[in-house]
Amino acid sequence: MSNQHLSPLREPLVTEPRSLGQLTEEICAPMERAPTWKWWVAFGIAVSVLGTGAGIVGYQVATGIGVWGLNKTIGWAFDITNFVFWVGIGHAGTLISAILFLFRQKWRTSINRAAEAMTLFAVMCAALFPVIHMGRPWLAFWVLPYPNDRGSLWVNFRSPLLWDVFAISTYFTVSAVFWYVGLIPDLATVRDRAKAGIRKAVFKVMSLGWTGSNRTWSRYETVYLLLAGLATPLVLSVHTIVSMDFATSVIPGWHTTIFPPYFVAGAVFSGFAMVLTLMIITRVVLGYEHLITLRHLENMTKIIIVTGGLVSLAYATEFFIAWYSGNPYERFAFMNRAFGPYAWAYWIMVTCNVVSPHLFWFKKIRTSPAAIFVLSLVINVGMWFERFVIIVTSLHRDFLPSSWAMYTPTMVEVGTFIGTFGLFFTLFLLFVRVLPIISIGEVKSVLGFARDGHAAQPHPPAKPVAEEPHPVAHRPASPVPLAIATRKDAPV
């Protein structure tokens, strides 16, 4: 039982009464039953797109990046646009897992696992583009500063591109460790449920001898808290360093100090939109409407309202500073964005990123999964166009009118970008089949949130059954014990 105050204003985080065993069964079901035809169709499409993308990448590696639409003026375009896009997508996972955990936001428990996995898959997709852009991807290891016999050939530590290497690799490593540590209690649950064989042996190794004792939980929570504190600065630093790819240059439209916070806000903005896209599909396909509730969706839309407002402020600030600076080149760069040849891309960006998030001010819209799903797709489209506008419109008309040029992506570039979606969804679909998509232990810890003792019982007994009080806390006034599983419960 619990001493927590049950406010009538609170809504349960698990909307249907469930026992601890029922929660375990529901979350483990996708792993233990045969995949449905819907999963096979989705997996087949994702693998087909991935295979096509792999073939296109192989072609451009064999032929050279001359198959792209780049020219002497526009040396960065689709590739760096997609790189920044995917890095931004990966930001929401760490934000949900680390920052919201440090702020003790209980509603994160049903979505943090999938968001963390999304972070890893998005970073994998992002890493492909700089490697391909090298032209000789088999020499990608040259960016690593290690003792070598190549004479004076050494990495340039003053280059933001090298900073990207360290930022992305660090972010991926810490995020992967954080994700894995959070999985350990659930891996032990799957281990205990698995029948003898390879599956049980694999999960036995992966669960690292988890016993579920108080000492094990105490050490686990300490490590998880430390990793959350370590991962939190990465949310700010990674996209800050990515923004320095542009901000450290002298090109009008790039040379600005607003880029670091602007890029971080945009990354969280687009990342939460992608989490909403995936979670809305997941809750319907897997029947998790009672675990991934409207409250979860509504809270994420509120974060989108905040970050969308920051992005809108950044857009306005850029134009104001371009005017206030009195620099004719800066003024021309931004007027060219809004009214030049690529004005269509700019106004798509503004419509998707500035106008559409304000629809979430209406409660009817932010509690409608269909409306949220559509708007999350619109926001992701807008954020891709934001990166395209920043990169291409700042390059295609530079200081010399004689070097002005236009850029049009080739089918190879478009096919590569689409192929990364195949990689992303292939990995996500395999993740759903192999590992628990929702944290079992953490959802159990909020099972009794905002419930009284009667509501927590999925099937009330016909007659009162004597039951010993909970050893940690109890509420004598409650006639029925509150079914709460703390993080110190052994896996069910």
Side-chain angles (χ1 to χ4, degrees):
M1 290 182 289
S2 172
N3 285 325
Q4 66 176 337
H5 173 66
L6 300 175
S7 168
L9 299 178
R10 288 182 174 178
E11 298 178 5
L13 295 175
V14 180
T15 56
E16 295 183 10
R18 291 289 190 272
S19 67
L20 304 183
Q22 287 174 324
L23 275 180
T24 303
E25 292 288 341
E26 288 180 347
I27 297 174
C28 291
M31 305 167 52
E32 298 173 344
R33 67 190 179 201
T36 63
W37 66 269
K38 294 179 182 178
W39 185 91
W40 280 115
V41 169
F43 186 71
I45 294 173
V47 170
S48 299
V49 174
L50 172 60
T52 303
I56 293 173
V57 170
Y59 167 73
Q60 60 189 316
V61 168
T63 307
I65 59 174
V67 298
W68 292 354
L70 305 179
N71 51 57
K72 62 187 177 73
T73 302
I74 306 170
W76 283 2
F78 229 65
D79 50 330
I80 304 301
T81 298
N82 299 332
F83 164 72
V84 180
F85 172 78
W86 279 116
V87 172
I89 291 295
H91 263 55
T94 308
L95 178 72
I96 292 173
S97 301
I99 296 181
L100 295 185
F101 172 75
L102 295 177
F103 281 98
R104 296 294 187 256
Q105 296 298 304
K106 296 179 180 295
W107 61 269
R108 58 176 280 283
T109 53
S110 293
I111 59 175
N112 66 321
R113 177 72 51 74
E116 291 169 14
M118 187 193 76
T119 292
L120 300 179
F121 305 151
V123 172
M124 291 179 189
C125 294
L128 290 175
F129 290 98
V131 172
I132 298 171
H133 198 188
M134 290 178 180
R136 296 185 177 97
W138 54 89
L139 298 179
F141 64 92
W142 281 14
V143 300
L144 302 176
Y146 67 95
N148 60 77
D149 56 0
R150 294 192 292 272
S152 59
L153 184 61
W154 192 248
V155 295
N156 182 9
F157 285 100
R158 293 177 296 178
S159 171
L161 300 180
L162 184 65
W163 305 346
D164 279 346
V165 174
F166 292 116
I168 300 302
S169 58
T170 303
Y171 185 56
F172 180 82
T173 302
V174 173
S175 297
V177 172
F178 192 43
W179 177 65
Y180 178 69
V181 168
L183 269 170
I184 292 175
D186 292 352
L187 294 176
T189 299
V190 178
R191 172 202 65 193
D192 296 340
R193 292 171 57 87
K195 299 178 181 179
I198 297 178
R199 177 185 172 88
K200 189 175 185 70
V202 169
F203 281 103
K204 183 177 181 179
V205 173
M206 294 177 65
S207 59
L208 304 180
W210 179 272
T211 62
S213 65
N214 284 344
R215 176 180 294 181
T216 305
W217 272 111
S218 177
R219 291 175 176 174
Y220 165 81
E221 291 180 344
T222 301
V223 172
Y224 197 82
L225 180 63
L226 291 175
L227 286 174
L230 183 63
T232 297
L234 290 177
V235 177
L236 305 176
S237 66
V238 171
H239 228 53
T240 295
I241 292 176
V242 170
S243 74
M244 290 179 182
D245 293 350
F246 312 101
T248 54
S249 70
V250 294
I251 296 175
W254 287 5
H255 188 65
T256 173
T257 56
I258 199 177
F259 266 22
Y262 169 22
F263 270 52
V264 171
V268 176
F269 183 55
S270 60
F272 267 91
M274 181 61 82
V275 171
L276 280 169
T277 302
L278 293 178
M279 290 297 95
I280 289 173
I281 296 174
T282 301
R283 72 193 293 269
V284 173
V285 173
L286 299 181
Y288 285 163
E289 287 91 345
H290 59 294
L291 298 176
I292 305 171
T293 66
L294 290 179
R295 179 180 176 183
H296 293 92
L297 303 183
E298 186 176 5
N299 286 345
M300 286 190 281
T301 59
K302 291 177 181 178
I303 293 178
I304 285 179
I305 292 174
V306 174
T307 52
L310 294 174
V311 169
S312 302
L313 177 62
Y315 293 165
T317 303
E318 282 187 309
F319 264 87
F320 173 76
I321 294 300
W323 166 79
Y324 189 70
S325 67
N327 186 327
Y329 299 105
E330 284 286 337
R331 289 181 177 181
F332 174 80
F334 284 93
M335 293 301 292
N336 181 57
R337 284 185 185 179
F339 305 107
Y342 290 106
W344 57 273
Y346 177 82
W347 292 110
I348 289 176
M349 175 193 79
V350 170
T351 303
C352 295
N353 296 343
V354 177
V355 178
S356 65
H358 289 291
L359 296 175
F360 285 136
W361 287 104
F362 301 98
K363 187 175 181 64
K364 187 175 182 180
I365 292 180
R366 68 173 184 263
T367 55
S368 169
I372 295 173
F373 181 76
V374 172
L375 288 174
S376 68
L377 294 177
V378 168
I379 289 170
N380 274 316
V381 169
M383 288 307 296
W384 186 91
F385 272 100
E386 179 200 282
R387 281 66 182 251
F388 180 83
V389 166
I390 289 174
I391 293 170
V392 175
T393 63
S394 298
L395 290 175
H396 87 111
R397 288 183 173 177
D398 58 10
F399 297 99
L400 297 176
S402 60
S403 64
W404 289 3
M406 294 294 292
Y407 165 77
T408 303
T410 64
M411 292 305 297
V412 172
E413 292 173 284
V414 175
T416 303
F417 180 47
I418 295 174
T420 57
F421 279 98
L423 173 61
F424 180 83
F425 285 106
T426 297
L427 293 173
F428 190 81
L429 287 166
L430 289 174
F431 162 68
V432 171
R433 287 289 308 153
V434 174
L435 297 170
I437 192 173
I438 294 177
S439 177
I440 302 174
E442 293 202 47
V443 171
K444 287 179 179 179
S445 70
V446 299
L447 181 60
F449 183 81
R451 291 184 181 277
D452 58 23
H454 297 278
Q457 296 292 331
H459 299 291
K463 58 182 180 179
V465 179
E467 187 169 336
E468 295 184 5
H470 195 283
V472 177
H474 94 183
R475 184 176 55 184
S478 176
V480 181
L482 184 64
I484 288 184
T486 67
R487 292 176 64 88
K488 293 184 173 56
D489 287 313
V492 177

